[in-house]
Every structure is written in C-alpha cells, then in structure tokens.
Amino acid sequence: MTPPDKSVALVTLGCTRNEVDSEELAGRLLAEGWRLVDDAADADVAVVNTCGFVEQAKKDSIDALLEASDLKQGGRTRAVVAVGCLAERYGSELASELPEADAVLGFDSYRDMSTHLRTILAGGHVPSHTPGDRRRLLPLSPAARRDEVGHVAMPGFGDEPTGPVPPTGPRVIRARLDGRPWAPLKIASGCDRRCTFCAIPMFRGAFVSRRPDEVLAEARWLAERGVKEVFLVSENSTSYGKDLGDLGLLEKLLPELAAVEGIERVRVSYLQPAEIRPGLLAAMADTPGVAPYYDISFQHASEPVLRAMRRFGSRPAFLDLVQRVRERSPEAGIRCNVIVGFPGETEADVDELEAFLSESRLDVVGVFGYSDEDGTEAAGLPGKLAEPIIAERLDRVSRLVEELNAQRAEERVGDVVDVLVEEVPDAFGDGDLVGRTGFQGPDVDGVTILRIDASTPALKVGDIVTATVVESEGVDLVAVPR
C-alpha cells in the first residue's frame, strides 16, 4: 500500500471517454492508498490523461505535460506521467521527444498504475509503452472476442478488480473527480469501422461491449453519488451488443437504465447513421427518461466524399433519417460533426454539404478542417487540398452553421422544457442558474440559462426545473421557471 501522505492529481484532456478512464484510474489509486488532489501543484505525481485524436488535441496534451513538468521546479510535484490516447498511440516515440515526462504509459499499465507511480517516486525507471495496432489483440470476429477480452486492457471497463468480486454483482472501480450532476458511463470500447480519416481503432482497438450487468451496476453506483443524468459513451454506440450476440441489446438496456433509482435522464452518444435501426429509434423516443438527443456521426453529405471516407449515406438518406427522428420525437435535438477539405472534395461536394445542413436544420454542428493523421488511409489519398482552400471552406461552412444553429435555437422560444441545474449563483450574490435540457448535450451543445428572481424557490445543482424558453443567445437558450 502507498503511504497516505503520497498524493496524485489526474489531469484529463479530450473526450468524455477519457473522463471515465481517469475516474477508473482514480478508483484504482484510491484503493491502493493514494490521496487524490484536484491541483497538480499539490500532488507528488501528476498523471496527465492525454488525447491523441487530432493535431490540436495532441498539441494541447503536450502543453499540459510541459505545464505539469514546470511544477517540478521547486514545488511539491516530483513526477509527471503521461497516459491516455497520445501515450498509447506514440509511446516510446513520445517519451524520447518529451524527456520532461518521467514515464509514458499505455493502457496495459492502468491495472498496475500504483506500482508504477511508486517505482517512479522511488527513483526507479518504468519502461515506456511500445505502441502497436490494438485491433490485432482480439479476433476479427466480434462473436469470438468475449473469451479473449479478459486478457486485453479495456480502460473504463473496471476489469480485474483488486480483491474478491462481491456476491451482489459486479464491483465498480471508479472515483468521482467532480461534483457534476451528470456523468459519462462507458458502454463499449473500440471500433470496427474503417473510416479512412480516423486513427482511433488503431489505438483503442476492436469493438467490445461491456456486459449489461456491469453497465447497470455502475449506473446505480453513480446514482448513489448524486448523479441524475448518465451519458452513455463509446466509439460507436449503435454497435452495442453485436459481440454479445444481440444487436438489439441497447434498446433493451435503455429502459433498465432509466429505471435505476435516482437516475432522471439517460443520454446516448455517438450513433452511426448506417447502423441506426428502427428499433433503436423507437426505444430512444418511447422510453420515459431517455433524453431526446441524437448525436449522429454524419461527417459529410456528398456521396463521393463519403465513399472516399469509406462511409455510407447521402444527402437524401440523411434527410430521411432526420425526418424519422423528428416524426417520433418532435422536440429532439440532433447534433453532428462534419469534415471539410477532405482529399478530392470539390466545390460541388461542399455545396451538397451546405444544402444538407440548410435543409436538416440540426441543433448543433461541429465543423472540422481535414488534416492528415498518422497511419490512416486518407493520409495517402490523392487530391490533397491546399491549406488556404481548407481554411476558406472551414470558415464558410462554420459561418453557415453558426447562423443555422442560432435559427434552430430561436425556434425553441415558447417551448416548455425540463432543465437539469448544473451551476447556481453564489449564496451571497445574485445571478442566473445554468443547466441543460434533454436535447442539449454536455460541454459542447449549448446551455439553458434560468432567469430567477426573489420569488423563485431555492434551487440546487441536480434539480430538474420545468421552464419556458423566452429567448435564445446563439445556441444557448434563456428560460424562466414556471
């Protein structure tokens, strides 16, 4: 066991999946006697959970590692350790280029993280991770993976707990690192799709579903700690259950999650349009407690570009899907990300994308300019566009999206909504509350500002308030409690 005076801070970058991984690491370290602190400046060891998705995310991760390393100059911090996707993806290469990090550890190190940190603090050396294609660690057939999963590290799954598994069900290995009333909950890891622009499957591995009993156990654990909304995360939620022999497993799981005592809202993320089944749409729309929120990975709308991305779909097919969602759930919020400047993209392709965005009237759209990613097929495709052309298209589509999303928010004025309160003003001051409706996802999809006055009953973080939308500010809404 680690002496109780030894402290560790986890610095998390990137997506909500990384947040789950950090909280699993925190749970493991807490069980081994480490003291968790919020600020890296107050910790003996700073563990930086990096992101390796796109160039900007990589830069942000390296900046965070350098910033943490600066704390070793005369402060309490004695070691900085890189973990997460950037560490998994580049391993020893990152270690050689970033000597400021005392170790660069991959996913396979998570189970023994306490031992590694103790070794580093004692002046020992922990070998840097040697990267490889994690897709090769499991059988090609999803049905054959279950027997091998126990031998492959799955961050966020809480596998191989320390000590006996309690007879009441799966043991949860996690520690909350914030007081938010919502929490991400990982239902799967990895991806079997082969999109030409994406490197994620190489360092996250083949698709593996968590068993429903493990997901439900963690949802109950979160509810016991005040979580009101669980945000189901994965690389591809629409594939959930395929390796367990049941492609309809997600629609069966949703009612069980919504029935967990204390959970008021279940939100599903990252749906692949080619895999969205009528049964899943029905379950999401008809199950009380499931948020009317559809995070759909369109990526583009021009068929030639989509095929070059090795993706299915078209503007008519995507518009039909949007229509089917709104027929079942008129209040639904639909969001997506799109890429502009993909190799070979023409002005006609951009026109097709803009036509789709104008006709679909999505709630939130993230627009990204294409950039080559190491090891991806797209990096070797012909027809690369010049950076100024990509920048111009990025600016053009971003400005269109900003206008369209603001118009969509304005259409919500007059609607009655249920708002999960996430921020309250200081007890000794005045101010508005901040929260989210069911159709607003966390962090990137806008918020709802609750205008309160002296007559408003006292509200706290985690309350759900019925309110009327009175105005919009960009993608954000302003509402008044009823």
Side-chain angles (χ1 to χ4, degrees):
M1 295 291 290
T2 299
D5 62 322
K6 296 302 180 186
S7 57
V8 60
L10 286 124
V11 180
T12 307
L13 294 95
C15 66
T16 48
R17 298 185 291 275
N18 254 17
E19 292 182 21
V20 178
D21 298 350
S22 284
E23 293 200 344
E24 181 193 296
L25 278 173
R28 292 184 184 278
L29 292 171
L30 194 64
E32 291 288 338
W34 290 83
R35 181 166 55 87
L36 302 177
V37 297
D38 295 330
D39 191 338
D42 299 327
D44 295 298
V45 185
V47 176
V48 181
N49 190 353
T50 61
C51 178
F53 181 38
V54 294
E55 283 303 316
Q56 186 57 51
K58 297 174 193 175
K59 182 181 182 301
D60 291 343
S61 294
I62 291 172
D63 288 346
L65 286 164
L66 292 173
E67 183 179 344
S69 180
D70 287 343
L71 298 174
K72 293 192 290 184
Q73 308 303 316
R76 174 177 179 131
T77 307
R78 295 166 52 198
V80 174
V81 174
V83 299
C85 292
L86 190 70
E88 176 65 37
R89 186 173 180 182
Y90 294 103
S92 53
E93 178 185 346
L94 176 64
S96 65
E97 295 183 2
L98 195 72
E100 292 86 352
D102 296 278
V104 177
L105 305 180
F107 297 148
D108 294 330
S109 300
Y110 285 20
R111 293 169 180 163
D112 300 315
M113 188 59 64
S114 177
T115 299
H116 297 321
L117 297 188
R118 291 199 304 267
T119 298
I120 292 166
L121 283 180
H125 174 69
V126 178
S128 297
H129 165 64
T130 300
D133 190 338
R134 293 189 70 84
R135 292 174 296 187
R136 300 180 184 276
L137 298 179
L138 290 170
L140 184 63
S141 167
R145 291 174 192 162
R146 187 49 54 183
D147 293 337
E148 302 293 329
V149 165
H151 306 295
V152 177
M154 295 288 171
F157 275 35
D159 51 347
E160 289 197 6
T162 302
V165 176
T168 53
R171 180 177 177 178
V172 175
I173 306 175
R174 186 168 179 174
R176 295 285 282 141
L177 294 175
D178 59 61
R180 300 177 308 194
W182 69 274
L185 173 56
K186 190 172 285 193
I187 62 170
S189 180
C191 185
D192 288 339
R193 302 187 72 86
R194 293 296 181 263
C195 302
T196 57
F197 57 85
C198 184
I200 289 176
M202 287 185 284
F203 56 85
R204 278 291 182 177
F207 182 88
V208 176
S209 304
R210 289 184 79 186
R211 292 191 179 277
D213 60 337
E214 297 171 358
V215 177
L216 286 165
E218 192 159 322
R220 296 186 188 101
W221 184 89
L222 291 167
E224 290 167 358
R225 284 150 183 81
V227 169
K228 298 297 181 67
E229 175 185 305
V230 289
F231 186 30
L232 307 186
V233 298
S234 70
E235 277 76 27
N236 179 5
S237 297
T238 35
S239 280
Y240 181 73
K242 73 175 185 178
D243 53 319
L244 299 176
D246 187 355
L247 260 177
L249 197 55
L250 182 55
E251 45 258 51
K252 298 172 184 175
L253 179 62
L254 289 176
E256 294 187 74
L257 284 168
V260 171
E261 185 176 356
I263 298 299
E264 302 287 343
R265 185 184 287 167
V266 178
R267 185 180 303 277
V268 184
S269 73
Y270 215 80
L271 306 172
Q272 288 287 348
E275 298 182 36
I276 295 177
R277 303 168 299 280
L280 179 58
L281 288 183
M284 292 179 66
D286 300 340
T287 304
V290 174
Y293 177 80
Y294 297 78
D295 173 19
I296 304 177
S297 177
F298 290 124
Q299 302 298 350
H300 211 283
S302 167
E303 289 189 69
V305 175
L306 287 167
R307 299 306 174 267
M309 291 177 169
R310 199 172 289 128
R311 297 180 65 84
F312 299 96
S314 63
R315 173 161 62 111
F318 291 165
L319 288 173
D320 176 70
L321 176 57
V322 169
Q323 180 180 353
R324 285 187 284 128
V325 168
R326 288 185 172 144
E327 284 175 351
R328 285 190 170 276
S329 181
E331 77 280 20
I334 306 176
R335 64 107 55 225
C336 79
N337 293 327
V338 297
I339 298 171
V340 296
F342 193 80
E345 182 189 64
T346 66
E347 283 293 334
D349 294 324
V350 181
D351 291 342
E352 186 77 352
L353 174 60
E354 290 181 320
F356 166 69
L357 295 172
S358 298
E359 293 175 51
S360 60
R361 305 188 68 79
L362 306 178
D363 292 77
V364 177
V365 179
V367 186
F368 297 87
Y370 171 81
S371 62
D372 287 338
E373 283 297 314
D374 297 336
T376 62
E377 185 178 340
L381 290 178
K384 294 289 178 61
L385 301 180
E387 286 298 328
I389 294 176
I390 296 176
E392 184 277 328
R393 291 180 181 178
L394 176 63
D395 178 67
R396 166 178 152 193
V397 177
S398 296
R399 284 188 284 109
L400 172 65
V401 160
E402 184 177 3
E403 179 181 350
L404 292 172
N405 291 168
Q407 290 174 3
R408 176 65 175 153
E410 190 174 4
E411 293 172 1
R412 302 278 190 181
V413 174
D415 289 357
V416 176
V417 295
D418 290 327
V419 181
L420 174 65
V421 177
E422 295 185 322
E423 299 177 24
V424 298
D426 188 280
F428 300 101
D430 297 321
D432 299 323
L433 283 69
V434 178
R436 288 179 296 106
T437 68
F439 52 78
Q440 291 173 314
D443 293 338
V444 294
D445 291 346
V447 298
T448 296
I449 300 165
L450 284 171
R451 291 274 162 83
I452 60 174
D453 56 30
S455 64
T456 306
L459 296 170
K460 63 183 184 300
V461 171
D463 286 343
I464 294 182
V465 182
T466 301
T468 302
V469 179
V470 295
E471 62 180 289
S472 62
E473 299 176 354
V475 296
D476 296 334
L477 304 176
V478 179
V480 175
R482 291 168 65 86

